[in-house]
Amino acid sequence: MTELCLPTPTRLVPVDGPVPVLTAPRLHQLLEQSGLTGRGGGGFATHRKLAALLQHPEGHVVVVGNGMEGEPLSHKDAHLLATAPGLVLDGLAVVAGALGARRTVLALPAGRRTPVLDALGAARRAPVEVVRLPERFVAGQESALVNAVNGGPAVPGPRHVPVRERGVDRRPTLVLNVETLARIAVVVRHGADTGSVLLTLSSSRDTDRLRVLEVDRATSLRQVVGDPAPEAVLVGGFHGEWVRDLDAPLSSLRLGAGVLHALDPRDCPLRVTAGIVGYLADQSAGQCGPCVNGLPAMAAVLRGVVDGSGEVARLEQLCGLVERRGACAHPDGTARLVRSTLTTFEPHVREHLAGRCGR
Amino acid sequence: MSRLQVDWTRCDGHGSCAELLPDVLTIDEWGYPLPLTPEAEPEVPPAARTRAERAVRACPLAALRLTS
């Protein structure tokens, strides 16, 4: 395997030439050694996700590449699919080949045009089915995605039936984010990942402008967000946490899917968060009572806090009522954001309740 | 020990489970089952085992499971 002697690239860039064909145990070993974790938000060790499917014989499992990118502030998957789609297809080929997959699917948002990917996909021997699905925040959640691929609604399934046991076509299914797949392609060629992180940057002042960056893991938040330095950065997107310490290296943060949303000093963090929570409440799949009821209630109380009339204790109570009481992590992520806002901006909350905001 | 699991995609806040297992579950302000202990999947003590099995059968949405 001469490929493992070539220096590891420091960025995700297109690569010519075939991707190694590996057995499942060898792939598992390389992934374990590399320490690769998922880039879809969950951050699970990729070798462990693979291990859960090693027991199945050839022709049994389904492999799904997740390019849904339901987080509105995230664009890194779209960027990767446009600039280095071959890496994603390579990752799919390696994993599907190692597991002897019966189907290989790539899930993309319905509105997205991917001419380079389509061309590459058509040119390859190993068939990848591209499935285009409607965009909703939870549509990229693993079991919701699998339900949609199966022709059903893009809503999460119950927790006691994980997709690794019963997923697409009721087969054991491995769902991997497209960036994770690209990094798998790097690991199998070089024995290690690039050491970089793929990020999407935005500011509360201009939420439509998303910038995708790839930087070394040791880079600090300050170096990434640049000048003027924001008051805080929402790290991990709508289900993330606020970070004030801009000198923290990216490697020390829970990046999730790499979304960094800078709070402009002119913007009120409570107003910004209330807007996000309102959106998250609207994006509930509508299946689970605590989420369906709790998230709109949280949004309303948060708007009340902005106006000076909401109760922080009630907000904390609602967080406790929605956490771990649903089929997916949507309510938990929303509660995480709210709790983080209350902690990080505690003085500002007091200002609001005293009727003074000034932003 | 067995644990009680709610299938949240099915649960409709009907409440038979909490009625049959008042020592394990209460209901929240919206009618949904809430464990008395701070766990997502509460343990079912041996004394409550039979009632728990009955609660599983009694749920009209088949939203309750008992792990072994």
Side-chain angles (χ1 to χ4, degrees), chain A residues 23-295:
Chain A
T23 62
R26 177 62 176 151
L27 175 60
H28 179 266
Q29 182 186 39
L30 283 173
L31 291 178
E32 188 174 18
Q33 284 168 4
S34 73
L36 184 65
T37 56
R39 313 311 306 151
F44 298 115
T46 307
H47 74 272
R48 285 214 191 95
K49 283 190 77 164
L50 182 78
L53 288 118
L54 291 179
Q55 59 188 284
H56 299 293
E58 175 97 14
H60 216 68
V61 316
V62 176
V63 175
V64 178
N66 187 351
M68 291 304 294
E69 197 158 41
E71 167 85 56
L73 294 182
S74 183
H75 196 67
K76 54 102 175 167
D77 288 341
H79 173 87
L80 189 60
L81 286 163
T83 58
L87 279 185
V88 176
L89 292 174
D90 284 347
L92 270 176
V94 167
V95 175
L99 291 176
R102 62 185 286 110
R103 274 180 80 181
T104 308
V105 176
L106 178 60
L108 300 178
R112 184 74 48 72
R113 289 181 43 74
T114 52
V116 179
L117 178 83
D118 294 340
L120 275 180
R124 279 159 187 262
R125 273 179 309 152
V128 174
E129 301 168 48
V130 176
V131 172
R132 292 178 187 277
L133 302 169
E135 290 182 71
R136 279 193 59 85
F137 189 76
V138 296
Q141 194 270 347
E142 251 185 24
S143 62
L145 182 60
V146 162
N147 281 340
V149 171
N150 280 337
V155 295
R159 285 185 193 267
H160 67 273
V161 188
V163 301
R164 66 177 180 272
E165 285 176 23
R166 207 156 78 227
V168 174
D169 304 333
R170 301 176 69 78
R171 304 280 182 170
T173 300
L174 178 59
V175 179
L176 294 168
N177 173 264
V178 291
E179 186 193 338
T180 310
L181 288 166
R183 293 187 182 282
I184 290 173
V186 174
V187 168
V188 302
R189 283 188 169 103
H190 302 281
D193 191 9
T194 61
S196 62
V197 287
L198 198 54
L199 307 167
T200 314
L201 259 61
S202 55
S203 164
S204 59
R205 263 290 128 139
D206 190 359
T207 53
D208 288 333
R209 190 165 159 261
L210 305 179
R211 227 172 86 218
V212 176
L213 290 192
E214 190 175 359
V215 299
D216 186 87
R217 286 163 40 86
T219 313
S220 72
L221 259 187
R222 188 183 300 280
Q223 288 168 306
V224 170
V225 299
D227 282 320
E231 178 181 345
V233 179
L234 182 57
V235 175
F238 286 176
H239 283 177
E241 291 168 312
W242 293 99
V243 174
R244 277 193 188 280
D245 178 13
L246 302 185
D247 295 311
L250 295 172
S251 55
S252 71
L253 301 172
R254 274 187 292 245
L255 292 174
V259 170
L260 300 179
H261 188 60
L263 179 69
D264 189 283
R266 294 165 291 179
D267 285 328
C268 168
L270 302 187
R271 223 176 282 274
V272 167
T273 304
I276 295 172
V277 175
Y279 167 83
L280 293 173
D282 285 341
Q283 292 290 309
S284 168
Q287 296 189 109
C288 309
C291 179
V292 169
N293 289 283
L295 264 53

Side-chain angles (χ1 to χ4, degrees), chain B:
Chain B
M1 200 180 297
S2 316
R3 289 184 177 275
L4 215 48
Q5 283 180 342
V6 175
D7 180 342
W8 290 106
T9 67
R10 288 174 176 256
C11 177
D12 211 24
H14 189 265
S16 336
C17 54
E19 271 186 35
L20 282 164
L21 293 162
D23 45 340
V24 180
L25 297 171
T26 180
I27 55 170
D28 67 17
E29 62 192 78
W30 307 300
Y32 294 92
L34 187 60
L36 292 172
T37 57
E39 301 166 289
E41 298 178 356
E43 281 187 344
V44 175
R49 175 82 203 202
T50 311
R51 280 182 289 119
E53 285 167 356
R54 200 180 311 149
V56 168
R57 288 194 301 272
C59 175
L61 283 311
L64 206 59
R65 306 180 73 240
L66 205 55
T67 65
S68 49

Side-chain angles (χ1 to χ4, degrees), chain A residues 10-27:
Chain A
T10 57
R11 297 290 181 266
L12 292 169
V13 290
V15 165
D16 284 330
V19 69
V21 173
L22 300 177
T23 62
R26 177 62 176 151
L27 175 60

